Amino acid sequence: MAYALNLHDIQGNVTRAYGRFSFPFARYFFFQIRHPAAGRAFVDAVRREVTTSARWPDEADKPNCTVNIAFTFMGLYWLEVPNRTLQGMPDVFISGMRSRASMLGDRDPTITADDDPDWDRDWDPIWQGNRKEGLGGSEDVHILVTLNAQPDLAGAEPGSQDFLARLKNPHPDLEAKTDWLRSLTSDGIVLLERNGKAGDAPFQSASAVFDDFGGVTLPTAREHFGFTDGIGDPVFKGQYPPAQEKTAVIGRGKRMGGDWEALETGEFILGHTGESQELPPTAMPPEFMQNGTFMAYRKLHENVASFQSVVDEEAQGFATSMAIDEPQARETLLAKMCGRWSDGVPLAVVPDYDEWIAFGKARGWRNENGSMLMTPDAWRKQIAYIRSAEASDFRYADDMAGFKCPGGAHMRRMNTRDYLDPLNAFGIDPETGKQFENAGATHALNKRRRILRRGLPYGPPNFEPRDDASEQGVIMMAMGVDLFRQFEFVQQQWIQYGLDFHQGNNTCPMLGRHDHHTRHMIPSDPKSGKPPYMMTKLKTFVECRGGDYFFVPSMIALRMIAMGIVDPT
Amino acid sequence: MPDLDSGHLFLTYLIPIKRGGPRNDVSFKQKVRIELARLPPAHQTPATQKTAYAAPFARNLRNHFARMFVLDNVVYNGRNRQNALVATVKKVNTITPEPVDGLRSAYLVFTADIDAIVKDGDPLPSELSADAQRRVRMAYAQTLWETMGEEIKAIFGNCHGFDGTDSGQAFGAYLERCHVETTMPYHDYYLNLPAFNDLPLKGLIVAVGVPAVIGVGALLLRLFGMSFLLGMNTLVLGLLGVALTCLAFVLAVRFAIANGAKPLPPAAHDDLPTVLKALYIQQRFTDFIAEHQGAAPATLHAAFGDFLAQHAPADITHPTQRPGVISDRAPQPRAGV
């Protein structure tokens, strides 16, 4: 029997990445409670508008603008959630993200905090004061409210020119909801209007990166480095209707020797059985955590100019070493850093440059010369492909040496799939002369580290010039029941360290810190006669600009918080 | 002797700490803890790299790993569990407390994995007699006394029976009295797995099973009235078979235990100086690859010649990485005691 969830009780951003559901615009608001009763009144007003996971259109109407809410630990404290409940919260959530900076790689791990007291100098002002020692909590962030808006379609016929032309503007409800949120503030609950690098923005805005497709401005699935993002999010039991789950799990669930299966709900939503076949720990009363989850909110700045210049420079060396031309070297290098080609086609499936160009031509998003077709039709085909099961259906255990997708590539670190099965055979199978197939490899060491990725890019539309100093990046929202076991583990062990992938101290070529370790190894199949290539000039391309850990309660828990009747006895 | 495995000694010492404390002072147990807390750690983190001295165990080239901690007491796990029905039949009264076992004093636990050698530079041995192992332990104690005698006196001075120990020889003799056998060694350097001492289970089953089948068969035949088989008395044959079975069983068990106790041979290149040299070469060679990839063959050849001359891979003593630091590039401890 299919696993049934009380979708009306779960906040909508847990089960849905809104960006995939035609909500390309977002605003993130941060509030501080000055008086507990005012805070509870605010929660009570907001919870009535919160978008749940109820399915559209059968169980609820699809909103023009979604509303979701989450709390830091200090927020729950200021809402007067009882001490006994607070004590039951996980310790990393209680500590908050700032105190975990060294371990997360958000500050230089080779310098102690005493020697670099100003390590958060690049953080946005709103985050610099949050949970900072000596401020007595006066600048703490307590509540996050997120709004995600559809485009202003005004009933245009889907697919029509009018429809496409309208995709670039958010629905007016986004502005209306912004006004409504402001109207809920008072002396007792204030909106922290210190967002952005300058610290003067009333909220953090975000949106898909847009591009020009034959005169029409359309949202892409790309981030500011140019990679296609947000493809392989995990799929868990009860997230999709049974019929849809069958295809959704392909490449996005887990393999335990057989077919793809959905992950256990309890990895992502509290109060349900997890992959350990146990219930996750809970604070009292159990209803407080049931159907809720935790979220790491991080503003990740992208140093676009550094990235482009390093890739250009390395591409020259790569072109010489591989005896290929520079455009091919550049694209291949990007793919070997990421694990996917820039249009989202996985290296594990299409490892060769010529095959990749042919693939795009056959699918209708590349022209005869092999360059991207910038037409609405090509845009539609490309989006359809990355939404398909095909774009996620691949494994790594048949490529243990990383000849196709390097072991240290970004994607292979983020979601290791069947690569870490300890029984995998490494090397060349003497019978076939190829790498071992490891057909029965499982996701056993991977399935407890998965995270849901929510959030959107922020910054200017694609066609505006950018450099390291301009504001662009990704608002990363990583969700899971255990920040320590899931988000922090991936961030520390897989992004900022490489031992699980036989990469020594080499960090993720895209997300990792590169102030001390600047290398990324690209293996080469010895049969090709080409040497391996070591990138040696990496810089830190992605920098955290702040954030914190949030609890995303269920609708029942929100109501209990608002009424002030969380009863742990 | 499970202490010896793969050319290393896995040492465990349990050193009783004096009970009580000196007059007008804190307990001896706390004094041991204070001395342990004062030991400088290895230079492995930015914070520890500021200390002037590295971990004292890094002052010699024998230690792969060493650990000292205070064992307060043994853990009490509650009443002995037993089947409720059995307990009822045996009339066990669970209201009556069971005796609780405890240690008579706290212990300083000292464990170390060391190269099983008597002097630096010796090759790792495959087998060592009990006496030879004792000599290795004595040589190790002498090394510790010479390199960290001050710390040893400060720590062990709070331990029972240590007073008057004033030489490496005496320290070795003291440690001998506290030595307990390590039952579970752990080795992590294998480049290639050695030939494990597999138990020839089938052979042992045959050795015990064949006389058992003959003995029991003969006794059964006797029971059914057959006194002779192929001219042999079935009773005698049966008893002989049973006796042989018992003997074979005892021998098989002793063989299995002895087989389990046999040490594995040393793996290639896993004495401490070689491991340190390997770490050094690994770092330098990766740098070499990074600096010379794509170079013309002649340039590469010349550069590699320079590399060999400069880093001398065959010389494990120099240049190399010092013990107790995370890499030879990280801040190094100042020379000192």
Side-chain angles (χ1 to χ4, degrees), chain A residues 213-230:
Chain A
F213 291 83
V216 197
T217 305
L218 299 173
T220 67
R222 300 193 182 220
E223 45 65 66
H224 294 276
F225 290 150
F227 290 103
T228 305
D229 196 16

Side-chain angles (χ1 to χ4, degrees), chain B residues 233-256:
Chain B
N233 185 321
T234 45
L235 179 63
V236 173
L237 184 63
L239 292 176
L240 200 64
V242 170
L244 268 178
T245 306
C246 293
L247 182 68
F249 180 75
V250 169
L251 290 176
V253 168
R254 290 179 67 167
F255 176 81

Side-chain angles (χ1 to χ4, degrees), chain A residues 293-418:
Chain A
T293 192
F294 290 99
M295 175 177 84
Y297 173 99
R298 290 163 69 74
K299 182 175 176 181
L300 300 178
H301 173 76
E302 295 184 333
N303 289 317
V304 173
S306 290
F307 183 77
Q308 303 300 358
S309 73
V310 166
V311 169
D312 287 345
E313 199 183 341
E314 292 274 11
Q316 290 176 11
F318 191 64
T320 314
S321 185
M322 300 292 148
I324 51 179
D325 65 24
E326 237 174 87
Q328 177 177 349
R330 195 173 192 285
E331 283 292 350
T332 309
L333 206 60
L334 287 171
K336 296 281 186 182
M337 290 171 81
C338 174
R340 285 186 192 271
W341 298 92
S342 53
D343 57 3
V345 177
L347 265 184
V349 179
V350 185
D352 181 73
Y353 178 81
D354 292 331
E355 281 175 43
W356 168 59
I357 295 292
F359 189 91
K361 279 187 200 168
R363 302 299 167 111
W365 65 75
R366 284 190 186 280
N367 64 17
E368 278 310 300
N369 306 328
S371 48
M372 286 295 278
L373 269 171
M374 297 303 279
T375 65
D377 185 49
W379 169 81
R380 201 174 291 115
K381 285 175 176 162
Q382 226 253 303
I383 297 277
Y385 167 73
I386 60 172
R387 296 278 181 269
S388 72
E390 198 191 348
S392 299
D393 189 13
F394 54 89
R395 32 198 306 268
Y396 295 129
D398 57 355
D399 179 28
M400 290 300 286
F403 294 156
K404 291 191 277 181
C405 177
H410 169 69
M411 264 174 55
R412 199 161 166 162
R413 289 169 176 262
M414 298 298 89
N415 179 5
T416 59
R417 298 182 179 238
D418 50 0

Side-chain angles (χ1 to χ4, degrees), chain A residues 38-263:
Chain A
R40 287 193 293 271
F42 175 81
V43 174
D44 196 44
V46 172
R47 75 173 179 88
R48 291 161 202 274
E49 298 292 323
V50 163
T51 310
T52 71
S53 292
R55 290 193 174 120
W56 306 323
D58 310 340
E59 299 173 338
D61 296 330
K62 185 173 180 177
N64 296 317
C65 178
T66 63
V67 179
N68 291 101
I69 186 167
F71 305 92
T72 61
F73 177 78
M74 293 316 294
L76 294 178
Y77 175 83
W78 270 87
L79 287 163
E80 295 184 325
V81 170
N83 282 350
R84 173 134 183 245
T85 307
L86 295 177
Q87 283 167 351
M89 303 301 279
D91 49 7
V92 298
F93 171 67
I94 294 173
S95 303
M97 203 179 87
R98 164 181 285 277
S99 68
R100 316 287 291 170
S102 170
M103 191 267 291
L104 296 173
D106 292 344
R107 67 174 178 82
D108 189 338
T110 66
I111 308 176
T112 64
D114 284 348
D115 288 343
D116 188 16
D118 200 19
W119 60 266
D120 60 354
R121 62 186 79 82
D122 290 330
W123 280 26
D124 282 2
I126 187 170
W127 298 114
Q128 277 183 3
N130 179 46
R131 299 296 297 269
K132 189 155 190 159
E133 276 176 42
L135 295 179
S138 62
E139 294 187 24
D140 285 1
V141 171
H142 292 160
I143 299 179
L144 161 66
V145 176
T146 60
L147 304 181
N148 281 70
Q150 295 202 59
D152 182 20
L153 295 172
E157 184 70 23
S160 65
Q161 276 303 313
D162 184 31
F163 179 91
L164 294 174
R166 287 181 155 274
L167 285 175
K168 64 173 181 289
N169 292 320
H171 194 280
D173 274 9
L174 181 61
E175 199 57 42
K177 282 279 197 300
T178 302
D179 294 341
W180 163 73
L181 275 175
R182 281 183 189 281
S183 75
L184 299 177
T185 58
S186 65
D187 289 350
I189 172 106
V190 296
L191 177 63
L192 299 171
E193 307 195 35
R194 292 200 303 275
N195 285 279
K197 193 176 174 182
D200 56 359
F203 47 79
Q204 174 66 55
S205 58
S207 85
V209 173
F210 285 74
D211 210 344
D212 186 355
F213 291 83
V216 197
T217 305
L218 299 173
T220 67
R222 300 193 182 220
E223 45 65 66
H224 294 276
F225 290 150
F227 290 103
T228 305
D229 196 16
I231 303 175
D233 237 21
V235 168
F236 56 89
K237 289 180 181 169
Q239 187 180 12
Y240 290 96
Q244 214 180 322
E245 184 184 286
K246 281 190 190 130
T247 48
V249 294
I250 298 172
R252 295 165 61 198
K254 64 181 175 191
R255 274 166 82 120
M256 297 307 294
D259 289 335
W260 291 98
E261 294 168 36
L263 290 150

Side-chain angles (χ1 to χ4, degrees), chain B residues 48-311:
Chain B
T48 60
Q49 279 164 0
K50 290 180 176 179
T51 52
Y53 305 117
F57 286 102
R59 294 176 204 152
N60 69 66
L61 279 173
R62 305 271 169 93
N63 283 303
H64 290 262
F65 179 84
R67 170 180 283 165
M68 283 179 165
F69 61 93
V70 173
L71 175 70
D72 267 315
N73 209 334
V74 286
V75 174
Y76 174 57
N77 280 323
R79 288 184 75 89
N80 292 328
R81 284 207 277 174
Q82 59 175 299
N83 186 305
L85 294 176
V86 175
T88 308
V89 172
K90 286 162 85 178
K91 293 199 167 75
V92 173
N93 185 355
T94 50
I95 303 282
T96 314
E98 282 180 345
V100 178
D101 227 354
L103 298 179
R104 290 178 62 197
S105 76
Y107 281 81
L108 168 66
V109 182
F110 172 28
T111 66
D113 303 351
I114 62 164
D115 285 343
I117 53 174
V118 174
K119 69 174 199 305
D120 288 347
D122 284 355
L124 298 183
S126 297
E127 299 263 359
L128 281 182
S129 66
D131 196 43
Q133 287 192 33
R134 197 185 61 79
R135 281 198 298 276
V136 170
R137 292 196 297 268
M138 291 298 283
Y140 178 60
Q142 183 68 40
T143 306
L144 290 184
W145 188 263
E146 284 160 11
T147 53
M148 52 182 288
E150 255 178 66
E151 286 89 345
I152 286 170
K153 278 179 234 166
I155 298 166
F156 283 71
N158 302 295
C159 295
H160 185 75
F162 181 80
D163 295 342
T165 305
D166 56 1
S167 68
Q169 194 67 21
F171 178 56
Y174 177 73
L175 277 184
E176 281 303 293
R177 291 163 60 198
C178 306
H179 175 236
V180 291
E181 202 173 74
T182 300
T183 48
M184 198 164 162
Y186 177 77
H187 192 70
D188 68 348
Y189 287 130
Y190 290 121
L191 287 173
N192 301 299
L193 288 180
F196 288 111
N197 305 320
D198 290 332
L199 198 63
L201 203 57
K202 275 187 193 157
L204 293 178
I205 290 172
V206 169
V208 178
V210 169
V213 169
I214 293 172
V216 172
L219 288 178
L220 279 176
L221 290 177
R222 180 75 178 199
L223 212 61
F224 289 118
M226 192 169 168
S227 302
F228 290 93
L229 178 67
L230 303 172
M232 278 183 285
N233 185 321
T234 45
L235 179 63
V236 173
L237 184 63
L239 292 176
L240 200 64
V242 170
L244 268 178
T245 306
C246 293
L247 182 68
F249 180 75
V250 169
L251 290 176
V253 168
R254 290 179 67 167
F255 176 81
I257 291 172
N259 189 63
K262 260 194 290 183
L264 293 171
H269 318 299
D270 69 346
D271 56 292
L272 187 70
T274 311
V275 170
L276 289 169
K277 181 77 185 193
L279 288 172
Y280 174 84
I281 289 290
Q282 192 179 40
Q283 294 164 58
R284 297 306 175 142
F285 189 58
T286 318
D287 294 346
F288 178 82
I289 294 170
E291 283 158 25
H292 295 93
Q293 61 180 343
T299 320
L300 191 60
H301 188 264
F304 191 62
D306 292 344
F307 177 86
L308 292 180
Q310 190 183 346
H311 300 296

